[in-house]
Amino acid sequence: MSDKVVVRFAPSPTGYLHIGGARTAIFNWLFARKMGGKFILRIEDTDIERSTEESIRGIIDGLTWLGITWDEGPYFQSQFVKEHQEAAEILLNKGLAYKCFCTKEELEQKRKDAMKRKTSLLYDGACRNLTPEQVAAKEAAGKPFVIRLKVPRDGGAVLFKDIVYGAIEKRHEDIEDFVIVRSNGQPLYVLSNTVDDIRDGITHVIRGQDGLANTPKQILIYQALGADIPQFAHMPLTLDPKRAKISKRKHGEIVSVQFYREKGFLPWALVNFLALLGWSTPDSRQIFSKEELIETFSLEGINRANSIFDIRTNDPKFFTDPKALSINAHYIRNMPLEELFPYVKEQLEKVGIWNPAYESGKREWFLETVDLIRARFHVLTDFVTLGRCYFADDYEMEPKALKKNIIKHPELKSWLPMLADRLEQLREFTAENVEKIIRDMAEELHVKAGILINGIRTAVSGQAVGPGLFDMLIAIGKDRVVGRLRNVPKLFEE
């Protein structure tokens, strides 16, 4: 086996890239980068009925968006079917596999009989010792057959050490002579995947815990083909809050990478979060740069316990795992503004409120405004929902805020337009000057400044909370603030 680490991500293109698959890709990618090895992308597209071009594009686009780069590929398993069939022929010729002519009906009857006797349901090897003449006669009669691997009946066992789960033993007597090629000549996954890994020189197989059951069978194929056996590391499953396995079929788009992209996640924030599903450091660190995560990652840090992905399907605001939102919010609030710029631009473009001046004459204002408002944001879409009032005049008015801060105080119907007239007279629209006018007016009207401040905030932004009021007003700009305050009487009419 090569001294250089070679790993692969080998998804089946039967749907979008979901978070479980993305996590598998991330772990393989991190290990390859940590060890200075090679990361191969291989699409296992031999399930012709379920594999689609759209799914292939979804996988590649999802990995590209996450920043998970591969060194070779994408290879397509369907390109190597002949190799898989040739491997089966080699095993047949060496007497390590055999043709099985048992029909489905016969196999089903064997299972029923075994259940009645309460004995093993494993295939009984009825065709294992057919003579060449018997095999030739059945073939001449046109009887269909599958190819089964001849599992040793020597009282031994398959022994291997999984990097995560430790020493594992599977007795030969507990493994049936399993099918490696269907009756239509199509090799099964257990053979195709193993032959591909041998060809690609895979040194470490890093995959989900649900692949553990196939490992003893694959090791038997490695041994039968005289190939080096890679090291295995099986990751714990990712479960939902009800302890059910995360799956495309059960959970739908909410477990797809594309869903989180559309909901406003930053690529690296999602990578950071997914890396923590089933892996941790001794100090329980949560935030990593790309370089830090690569340096810190180790297969030994993968946990045995299943991880919980806390999907929140009934909460439109906090729609997913709070930890995922917290990590995404951290990056939104702390990443350099120039790095955040293109992501915010993309959001504004999607809803049609992007102004090309934000890249030239108003770039400084744009970056300062983004910096001001991002402190409370969890996802990028917040810039065009909660932050829309800074970039457009058609922002939504939060019903509770409107009722509490404006409608509840009828006097604001005249007070806020009066304030607008005074603000319009300001030669220098600064936070200090605006604050003085507001507080002087509150004193003049013998009213708490908070009534004016809360009313102004809601009238100007549509919300009850946000950045400091005076900084917010300066960011929105004098003309817009004046116009929105003069519009307050219409809010009472509506």
Side-chain angles (χ1 to χ4, degrees):
M1 184 178 292
S2 171
D3 292 333
K4 185 176 181 179
V5 164
V6 183
V7 296
R8 47 68 170 177
F9 175 51
S12 298
T14 55
Y16 46 73
L17 177 64
H18 68 92
I19 58 162
R23 184 188 66 159
T24 300
I26 289 166
F27 279 26
N28 277 278
W29 174 77
L30 286 171
F31 185 62
R33 297 294 174 260
K34 171 71 175 287
M35 304 304 293
K38 184 192 299 181
F39 176 48
I40 296 173
L41 174 60
R42 188 171 71 226
I43 308 295
E44 300 197 332
D45 61 339
T46 49
D47 188 340
I48 299 173
E49 292 182 359
R50 298 178 62 203
S51 299
T52 66
E53 287 293 329
E54 183 181 1
S55 296
I56 292 172
R57 287 195 300 272
I59 290 169
I60 292 174
D61 290 348
L63 292 175
T64 301
W65 178 74
L66 288 171
I68 305 303
T69 55
W70 49 93
D71 305 300
E72 288 187 14
Y75 299 137
F76 295 89
Q77 192 173 68
S78 58
Q79 297 173 325
F80 304 102
V81 171
K82 187 176 180 180
E83 284 187 19
H84 309 151
Q85 293 169 333
E86 289 173 350
E89 284 295 324
I90 291 172
L91 294 174
L92 283 171
N93 294 334
K94 292 170 68 175
L96 299 175
Y98 61 91
K99 296 176 181 179
C100 173
F101 296 89
C102 295
T103 66
K104 290 182 180 180
E105 292 75 20
E106 289 172 335
L107 291 173
E108 181 59 29
Q109 188 59 51
K110 289 175 187 286
R111 279 190 283 270
K112 289 179 179 179
D113 292 343
M115 290 177 69
K116 288 180 182 179
R117 296 192 303 267
K118 297 183 179 180
T119 57
S120 172
L121 298 180
L122 301 180
Y123 175 64
D124 61 4
C127 296
R128 181 180 175 113
N129 296 312
L130 292 176
T131 65
E133 292 76 18
Q134 289 173 316
V135 171
K138 289 180 181 291
E139 286 191 90
K143 288 192 174 183
F145 62 85
V146 299
I147 299 177
R148 293 180 182 270
L149 189 80
K150 191 178 287 187
V151 178
R153 295 297 174 227
D154 54 3
V158 175
L159 301 169
F160 67 98
K161 184 177 181 180
D162 188 87
I163 295 173
V164 177
Y165 289 93
I168 293 177
E169 176 180 346
K170 183 77 171 180
R171 305 297 301 174
H172 288 160
E173 63 193 46
D174 295 326
I175 307 173
E176 70 177 358
D177 289 350
F178 54 93
V179 177
I180 57 174
V181 178
R182 295 185 178 91
S183 58
N184 64 0
Q186 185 71 28
L188 268 72
Y189 164 85
V190 70
L191 176 65
S192 299
N193 181 267
T194 304
V195 172
D196 287 341
D197 283 350
I198 293 171
R199 182 194 62 249
D200 293 338
I202 301 303
T203 62
H204 294 73
V205 175
I206 306 168
R207 60 187 178 188
Q209 187 265 346
D210 49 353
L212 192 56
N214 274 324
T215 303
K217 294 180 180 180
Q218 290 182 294
I219 288 176
L220 288 171
I221 296 175
Y222 278 106
Q223 292 172 336
L225 291 172
D228 291 328
I229 300 171
Q231 296 185 62
F232 291 89
H234 288 88
M235 304 177 296
L237 298 178
T238 303
L239 308 179
D240 68 13
K242 295 181 179 179
R243 301 303 191 271
K245 181 184 174 184
I246 294 289
S247 70
K248 303 173 187 176
R249 184 175 300 175
K250 178 179 177 63
H251 298 92
E253 67 169 4
I254 197 170
V255 297
S256 74
V257 168
Q258 181 63 23
F259 176 83
Y260 290 89
R261 181 178 185 178
E262 292 174 354
K263 284 291 187 178
F265 267 69
L266 289 160
W268 184 254
L270 189 56
V271 171
N272 191 152
F273 168 70
L274 292 178
L276 296 172
L277 283 177
W279 174 82
S280 61
T281 61
D283 60 359
S284 299
R285 187 174 174 185
Q286 301 291 302
I287 302 297
F288 299 87
S289 68
K290 177 180 176 180
E291 293 74 19
E292 290 169 340
L293 190 55
I294 291 173
E295 178 62 29
T296 308
F297 183 79
S298 71
L299 297 179
E300 291 72 21
I302 299 176
N303 307 317
R304 293 188 183 186
N306 292 328
S307 55
I308 304 299
F309 185 66
D310 193 1
I311 302 171
R312 304 295 180 91
T313 56
N314 297 320
D315 190 335
K317 184 176 182 182
F318 296 104
F319 55 88
T320 189
D321 196 304
K323 184 175 178 179
L325 285 170
S326 175
I327 290 174
N328 199 60
H330 170 86
Y331 283 103
I332 286 177
R333 297 166 190 175
N334 293 283
M335 70 188 302
L337 287 169
E338 289 293 345
E339 292 181 21
L340 184 60
F341 179 92
Y343 294 107
V344 181
K345 175 185 176 182
E346 181 183 17
Q347 294 298 321
L348 269 60
E349 285 178 330
K350 283 182 180 179
V351 298
I353 58 174
W354 172 252
N355 185 341
Y358 299 157
E359 286 191 286
S360 52
K362 298 188 69 175
R363 187 182 185 89
E364 183 178 354
W365 170 85
F366 182 76
L367 292 176
E368 288 177 351
T369 300
V370 168
D371 192 30
L372 174 69
I373 64 180
R374 63 177 172 168
R376 293 176 178 269
F377 293 173
H378 288 84
V379 288
L380 292 169
T381 50
D382 286 339
F383 283 98
V384 296
T385 53
L386 302 177
R388 188 180 182 94
C389 63
Y390 295 85
F391 310 111
D393 291 319
D394 57 337
Y395 53 94
E396 288 189 9
M397 191 68 63
E398 190 178 284
K400 289 183 179 179
L402 176 62
K403 182 177 180 180
K404 178 181 178 181
N405 295 333
I406 295 182
I407 305 302
K408 186 179 177 180
H409 304 283
E411 58 273 17
L412 293 178
K413 187 175 183 180
S414 59
W415 288 353
L416 294 186
M418 183 192 308
L419 175 63
D421 292 339
R422 298 186 182 187
L423 292 175
E424 189 177 36
Q425 299 303 313
L426 278 176
R427 291 185 177 181
E428 295 184 8
F429 195 71
T430 64
E432 295 78 6
N433 290 343
V434 169
E435 180 177 8
K436 185 176 188 310
I437 285 182
I438 292 173
R439 295 195 183 280
D440 285 350
M441 184 172 174
E443 186 175 343
E444 176 185 324
L445 296 171
H446 303 293
V447 64
K448 291 182 179 179
I451 292 178
L452 285 181
I453 289 173
N454 291 335
I456 295 166
R457 179 183 297 282
T458 299
V460 172
S461 70
Q463 300 159 39
V465 296
L469 176 71
F470 309 112
D471 291 330
M472 181 190 84
L473 296 178
I474 301 308
I476 291 175
K478 179 179 176 179
D479 291 343
R480 276 180 164 165
V481 168
V482 168
R484 293 173 187 182
L485 291 178
R486 283 179 176 159
N487 192 53
V488 167
K490 292 184 180 179
L491 298 179
F492 285 89
E493 296 172 9
E494 295 171 358

